[in-house]
C-alpha cells in the first residue's frame, strides 16, 4: 500500500506533511542505522516494523466472509505484504528530492541505496504482489490490481493533494477486500468492515498531513470523533452473521457469546490506543503531540482489525490479529527501529 510511517499500507496513513507510515526518526538516524550495512538500509527503506499492521487487513476480510482462512488467505496476505512494501520503496523514490533537504539521513539521500534500486524494488514487489493474488484466484486479482494502481497513484501523484487521505483510505479498504475475495470468492460481505477500516485510515492520514508543522486542532478533533463512532459501531452495532456462521450462532454480532465479548474488549482497546493522543493533539496541536497522535492512530489499526474480525464471529482469527501488536513492538525494539512514519 502507499507508504505510511508507523509508530501501514504503502503509505497507508503517516507523515511528511502528508500521510505517511514509516520507520524513520524525523530527528535523525540512530547510531545503529548510521553504522549499518545494506541490510539495515533496506530495512529502514521498507520500514519493516510497519509490516505487522498488514496481515490483519486480509484476516479481517476473511473473517467477514464466514469462511475459514486457508491457503488462499495466506496468498492474499503475501500479496498485501508485497504491495505494502512496494509502496514503501516507491514512497522514498518519489520523495527523494524532498528528503535530501529534510531527511538527508534516509537511505536514498544518504547514498546507502540508489534511487534506481528503490524504483526497481517497487516494481518487482508490485509484480510479486499481483502474482500472489493471481494464485489466490481471479476475484483476488480483481481486487489486487486496483489496489496496486492506488498505491502507485498515491505515491506518484496524489500524496500532496486533497485526494491523498482518500487514496490512503481506499488502499486499506481494498486490502481488506483482498482477503475476503481470496478466501470467500467475493467481497460483498466484507464491504462494511472495509468501510470502517478505511474511515480510520482516512482520519489518521488527515492528522499526519500536519505532523511536521502542527497548528491544526481540526484534524485530531475529527479523528477523535471518528474513533468514537467507529468504537460504537464495532462494539454495539448488531450485524448479520456471515452465512458460514449462522448455524453456529444466532444472527447479530456483537452480542452474547465469546465473539461479542471479544469484539467489545478489542473495540475498547482500539479506543484507548487512539483517543488519548488525539485528545492531547486537539488541546495542543504542536508537532510533537501531532506526531504522537499519528503514532497512536497507527498503533490502533491492529486492535481495530482484530475487533472487526471478532465482530464477524472470527474469534480465533481476531486473537491471531491482536497478537501482531506485541510481536511488532518486540521486533521494532530488537531492530532498533522504534519510530515509524506514515508517509
Amino acid at each position: 500500500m502507499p507508504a505510511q510511517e508507523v509508530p501501514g499500507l504503502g503509505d497507508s496513513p503517516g507523515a511528511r506533511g502528508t500521510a505517511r507510515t514509516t520507520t524513520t526518526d524525523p530527528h535523525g538516524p540512530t547510531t545503529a542505522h548510521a553504522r549499518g550495512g545494506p541490510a539495515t538500509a533496506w530495512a529502514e527503506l521498507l520500514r519493516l516494523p510497519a509490516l505487522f499492521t498488514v496481515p490483519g487487513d486480509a484476516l479481517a476480510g476473511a473473517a467477514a466472509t464466514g469462511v475459514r482462512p486457508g491457503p488462499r488467505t495466506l496468498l492474499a496476505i503475501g500479496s498485501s505484504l508485497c504491495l505494502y512494501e512496494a509502496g514503501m520503496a516507491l514512497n522514498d523514490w518519489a520523495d527523494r528530492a524532498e528528503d535530501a533537504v529534510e531527511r538527508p539521513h534516509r537511505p536514498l539521500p544518504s547514498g546507502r541505496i540508489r534511487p534506481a534500486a528503490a524504483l526497481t524494488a517497487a516494481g518487482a514487489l508490485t509484480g510479486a504482489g499481483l502474482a500472489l493474488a493471481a494464485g489466490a484466484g481471479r476475484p483476488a486479482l480483481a481486487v489486487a490490481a486496483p489496489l496496486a494502481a492506488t498505491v502507485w497513484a498515491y505515491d506518484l501523484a496524489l500524496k500532496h493533494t486533497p485526494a491523498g487521505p482518500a487514496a490512503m483510505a481506499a488502499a486499506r479498504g481494498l486490502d481488506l477486500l483482498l482477503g475476503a475475495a481470496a478466501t470467500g470468492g467475493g467481497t460483498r460481505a466484507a464491504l462494511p468492515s472495509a468501510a470502517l477500516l478505511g474511515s480510520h485510515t482516512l482520519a489518521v492520514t488527515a492528522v499526519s498531513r500536519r505532523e511536521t508543522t502542527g497548528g491544526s486542532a481540526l484534524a485530531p478533533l475529527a479523528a477523535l470523533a471518528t474513533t468514537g463512532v467507529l468504537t460504537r459501531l464495532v462494539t454495539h452495532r448488531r450485524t448479520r452473521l456471515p452465512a458460514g456462521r449462522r448455524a453456529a450462532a444466532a444472527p447479530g454480532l456483537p452480542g452474547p457469546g465469546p465473539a461479542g465479548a471479544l469484539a467489545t474488549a478489542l473495540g475498547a482497546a482500539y479506543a484507548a490506543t487512539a483517543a488519548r493522543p488525539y485528545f492531547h493533539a486537539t488541546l495542543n496541536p504542536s508537532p510533537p503531540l501531532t506526531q504522537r497522535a499519528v503514532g497512536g492512530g497507527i498503533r490502533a489499526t491492529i486492535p481495530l482489525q482484530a475487533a472487526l474480525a471478532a465482530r464477524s464471529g472470527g474469534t480465533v482469527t481476531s486473537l491471531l490479529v491482536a497478537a501482531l501488536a506485541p510481536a511488532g513492538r518486540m521486533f521494532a525494539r530488537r531492530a532498533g527501529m522504534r519510530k515509524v512514519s506514515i508517509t
Side-chain angles (χ1 to χ4, degrees):
M1 280 50 24
Q4 265 181 315
E5 299 185 20
V6 177
L9 275 178
D11 238 25
S12 300
R16 248 182 208 167
T18 60
R20 173 180 201 160
T21 304
T22 48
T23 54
T24 85
D25 185 340
H27 302 295
T30 64
T31 301
H33 286 171
R35 296 178 180 175
T40 299
W42 279 100
E44 187 178 346
L45 176 76
L46 298 176
R47 304 167 177 85
L48 294 185
L51 285 177
F52 289 86
T53 69
V54 179
D57 291 344
L59 290 171
T65 68
V67 179
R68 186 185 301 276
R72 291 189 176 185
T73 309
L74 294 178
L75 288 173
I77 292 174
S79 176
S80 296
L81 292 171
C82 287
L83 294 177
Y84 185 89
E85 292 291 41
M88 293 296 187
L90 185 63
N91 177 79
D92 274 29
W93 181 85
D95 286 352
R96 62 193 185 281
E98 180 182 343
D99 281 347
V101 176
E102 298 183 1
R103 299 168 181 79
H105 61 278
R106 291 292 299 158
L108 268 61
S110 67
R112 289 177 289 155
I113 295 176
R114 292 181 297 108
L119 182 60
T120 299
L125 286 165
T126 299
L130 293 174
L132 288 169
R138 289 184 179 179
L141 181 60
V143 176
L147 172 56
T150 301
V151 170
W152 282 73
Y154 176 86
D155 282 328
L156 298 181
L158 301 177
K159 183 191 306 182
H160 300 290
T161 73
M168 183 74 82
R172 272 288 181 182
L174 286 168
D175 200 45
L176 187 148
L177 295 179
L178 176 57
T183 305
T187 61
R188 184 174 180 179
L191 289 174
S193 292
L196 294 178
L197 183 60
S199 297
H200 166 73
T201 302
L202 180 66
V204 181
T205 303
V207 175
S208 74
R209 293 172 77 88
R210 302 297 293 270
E211 192 175 15
T212 59
T213 61
S216 174
L218 182 59
L221 179 60
L224 181 61
T226 300
T227 299
V229 172
L230 293 179
T231 300
R232 177 162 184 81
L233 290 175
V234 169
T235 59
H236 292 92
R237 184 179 179 184
R238 297 181 66 81
T239 182
R240 190 171 177 78
L241 281 169
R245 296 196 176 102
R246 287 176 195 159
L253 278 180
L262 186 58
T264 299
L266 290 169
Y270 161 68
T273 303
R276 185 176 180 182
Y278 285 156
F279 179 69
H280 289 166
T282 300
L283 295 179
N284 178 13
S286 63
L289 290 182
T290 302
Q291 291 165 14
R292 290 182 185 179
V294 174
I298 295 171
R299 287 190 297 273
T301 300
I302 293 179
L304 177 59
Q305 294 164 335
L308 291 172
R311 179 175 181 266
S312 299
T315 303
V316 175
T317 299
S318 67
L319 292 173
L320 177 62
V321 173
L324 292 171
R329 289 194 296 270
M330 182 180 300
F331 178 86
R333 285 196 299 270
R334 291 183 177 180
M337 301 171 68
R338 308 231 8 216
K339 277 273 250 201
V340 182
S341 169
I342 215 173
T343 49

